[in-house]
Amino acid sequence: MHKITRFCQVLALVFLAWQISPSVQANEILEEGPNYFVVQHDTGSFIGSVVMRMDISTDSLGKIHVTSRIVSITGKPGWTWVIGKSGGTDKAVEIKFSKGAQRLAFKAHYAPGKTVIDSGVVK
């Protein structure tokens, strides 16, 4: 249980740093509990957002696992999206946004010690 608490504290600090730094991307923790949290990732004020839930568990060997799932996806007017990867236990989420010729790939992989959030660049 101590590892899970520590993992949640580290993630909270990462989210706080993202909120403080000047960026197009914004992240907001919408809900959290002892073994889960729900976060909204804005992919840019003119593109959309992805809301994800992460459930944290420990297996019989004491290894921590994070099960990621998409709660909702919204796109600003004109933007559409396709789910490339829907998450799962220790799996990444990938959403591909598009509007005409413009493209943006949002990627998120939550894992102890190697969490990566990439809101991409509009191309």
Side-chain angles (χ1 to χ4, degrees):
M1 187 59 88
H2 175 67
K3 288 182 181 179
I4 292 173
T5 303
R6 177 76 176 133
F7 179 61
C8 289
Q9 290 171 340
V10 169
L11 285 175
L13 289 173
V14 169
F15 291 128
L16 179 62
W18 279 333
Q19 290 175 342
I20 292 172
S21 66
S23 174
V24 175
Q25 174 188 348
N27 300 285
E28 179 181 357
I29 296 176
L30 302 176
E31 182 182 341
E32 60 186 319
N35 295 319
Y36 79 96
F37 59 97
V38 177
V39 65
Q40 177 176 329
H41 297 284
D42 286 336
T43 58
S45 60
F46 63 94
I47 296 171
S49 68
V50 178
V51 177
M52 295 174 52
R53 177 183 169 120
M54 276 59 67
D55 291 291
I56 304 163
S57 60
T58 305
D59 65 19
S60 61
L61 300 174
K63 185 176 177 187
I64 298 172
H65 297 280
V66 180
T67 301
S68 302
R69 67 181 167 97
I70 299 166
V71 175
S72 66
I73 304 169
T74 57
K76 298 292 182 176
W79 285 91
T80 59
W81 64 89
V82 174
I83 298 172
K85 296 180 182 177
S86 60
T89 302
D90 300 329
K91 305 278 187 194
V93 166
E94 184 177 305
I95 312 296
K96 297 174 183 178
F97 288 87
S98 62
K99 178 180 180 182
Q102 295 179 306
R103 304 277 184 265
L104 179 131
F106 168 82
K107 299 174 185 175
H109 185 202
Y110 285 86
K114 51 188 166 185
T115 295
V116 176
I117 309 298
D118 181 0
S119 288
V121 176
V122 176
K123 296 179 182 180

